[in-house]
Amino acid sequence: MQVLSKRSEFLAAARARRQGSKGMMVQGRNRGDGEGIRVGFTCSKKVGNAVARNRAKRRLREVARLNLAEHGLPGWDYVLIGRAKETANRPFEDLQGDFIYALKKIHR
């Protein structure tokens, strides 16, 4: 699993499919090359100060680490966007369920 780092990669994912859930927004784009899964994480200042944003991103990274290998598809880019108050405070099992639900909807 590679991490997205360039702004152009995030913008390409933003133009593709998206699915919101209570704990996060997930954007997904099929690159069409079948060369592994790439993932990016972002939280706006609406989530809170730097400490709150970093905590939310840590939780999103862990959700992706645990679930993308099983539920993600090779050749896809995913961007996980944290939600204010929800990403950091939602029970972790519910956050995982939100992510799996969003992936299933994006892959349809």
Side-chain angles (χ1 to χ4, degrees), residues 1-5 9-10 12-14 16-19 24-31 36-42 60 64 67-81 99-100 102-108:
M1 181 171 72
Q2 296 176 340
V3 178
L4 300 178
S5 58
E9 297 169 338
F10 281 88
R17 299 176 183 173
R18 70 190 70 203
Q19 178 63 45
M24 71 186 80
M25 169 76 76
V26 180
Q27 298 171 338
R29 176 177 83 102
N30 186 353
R31 294 188 319 273
I37 297 170
R38 299 190 312 182
V39 63
F41 309 94
T42 185
L60 292 176
N67 295 293
L68 266 182
E70 183 178 345
H71 298 284
L73 297 177
W76 281 69
D77 289 344
Y78 301 101
V79 175
L80 283 67
I81 304 171
F99 181 60
I100 293 167
L103 285 179
K104 287 179 182 175
K105 295 288 263 187
I106 287 172
H107 293 150
R108 280 192 192 167

Side-chain angles (χ1 to χ4, degrees), residues 2-104:
Q2 296 176 340
V3 178
L4 300 178
S5 58
K6 295 181 183 172
R7 185 172 189 267
S8 61
E9 297 169 338
F10 281 88
L11 292 176
R15 288 190 299 271
R17 299 176 183 173
R18 70 190 70 203
Q19 178 63 45
S21 64
K22 190 165 175 82
M24 71 186 80
M25 169 76 76
V26 180
Q27 298 171 338
R29 176 177 83 102
N30 186 353
R31 294 188 319 273
D33 61 9
E35 288 192 18
I37 297 170
R38 299 190 312 182
V39 63
F41 309 94
T42 185
C43 290
S44 73
K45 288 191 176 182
K46 289 180 191 177
V47 173
N49 62 11
V51 174
R53 290 193 305 270
N54 287 333
R55 180 169 190 250
K57 283 192 278 187
R58 279 196 307 271
R59 296 189 84 205
L60 292 176
R61 275 194 293 273
E62 186 63 11
V63 165
R65 186 186 71 80
L66 293 174
N67 295 293
L68 266 182
E70 183 178 345
H71 298 284
L73 297 177
W76 281 69
D77 289 344
Y78 301 101
V79 175
L80 283 67
I81 304 171
R83 290 193 186 266
K85 299 178 185 152
E86 288 295 329
T87 303
N89 298 326
R90 192 156 168 79
F92 192 73
E93 293 76 23
D94 294 344
L95 206 58
Q96 286 184 296
D98 292 345
F99 181 60
I100 293 167
Y101 167 79
L103 285 179
K104 287 179 182 175

